[in-house]
Amino acid sequence: MADERIFSVEIITPDRVFYKGEATMIEFTTASGDIGVYKNHIPLTTVLEPGIVTITELDGKKEAAVHSGFAEILQDKVTLLAEIAEWPGEIDTERAEEAKRRAEERLESHKEEIDVKRAEMALKRALVRLNMK
């Protein structure tokens, strides 16, 4: 007999189908905060924020860094359309450290020509990558 808790999960980026499988729960970060989804969740479309996605499968958990996009939640399927998705082994720690340093410098400089929102998003992405290691 099939497990009644299982639903389908897809994480798609512009260059690949990052993940396609079955889960009993998925957790990710939205513009409104963190969310955990089980099968039969109410239908919802929401904006993804940079964060760690945790996919709970029957035999364990998988984590990935996801950076911005959209999530569509249906009763039996969750689809994340992400700008970038990375498994821990795909993350270049040195590059993430450098991106963090640059973003912090930009935010501390207080120069008018700095795009604060862009620097804040770069910092969030770098911190998510570093938290995956």
Side-chain angles (χ1 to χ4, degrees):
M1 182 173 189
D3 192 319
E4 296 292 323
R5 302 171 299 158
I6 294 177
F7 60 95
S8 180
V9 173
E10 278 190 289
I11 301 174
I12 302 166
T13 67
D15 60 337
R16 65 181 169 159
V17 175
F18 177 77
Y19 175 86
K20 186 173 185 170
E22 295 180 330
T24 58
M25 182 177 180
I26 184 169
E27 301 166 85
F28 53 91
T29 303
T30 73
S32 300
D34 292 339
I35 185 171
V37 178
Y38 292 102
K39 185 174 182 174
N40 296 321
H41 193 283
I42 61 167
L44 174 70
T45 301
T46 188
V47 175
L48 289 174
E49 288 286 320
I52 296 173
V53 173
T54 303
I55 304 164
T56 304
E57 300 175 323
L58 285 175
D59 60 348
K61 292 184 179 187
K62 292 183 177 178
E63 290 188 329
V66 173
H67 308 284
S68 304
F70 297 93
E72 177 188 52
I73 301 168
L74 303 174
Q75 289 188 334
D76 60 351
K77 183 175 184 178
V78 174
T79 304
L80 304 184
L81 301 174
E83 184 178 307
I84 300 169
E86 302 165 300
W87 296 115
E90 298 174 331
I91 295 171
D92 182 336
T93 305
E94 288 179 28
R95 185 173 173 213
E97 285 284 358
E98 181 60 25
K100 176 181 176 269
R101 185 192 60 74
R102 280 192 316 269
E104 288 173 339
E105 283 177 4
R106 287 184 183 125
L107 290 169
E108 290 171 6
S109 73
H110 299 291
K111 293 181 182 176
E112 285 191 33
E113 67 270 9
I114 296 299
D115 184 342
V116 173
K117 184 75 172 166
R118 185 174 174 192
E120 288 173 343
M121 288 301 287
L123 180 59
K124 282 183 185 179
R125 286 191 300 271
L127 291 172
V128 168
R129 286 180 171 122
L130 293 170
N131 285 335
M132 286 296 301
K133 289 298 192 174

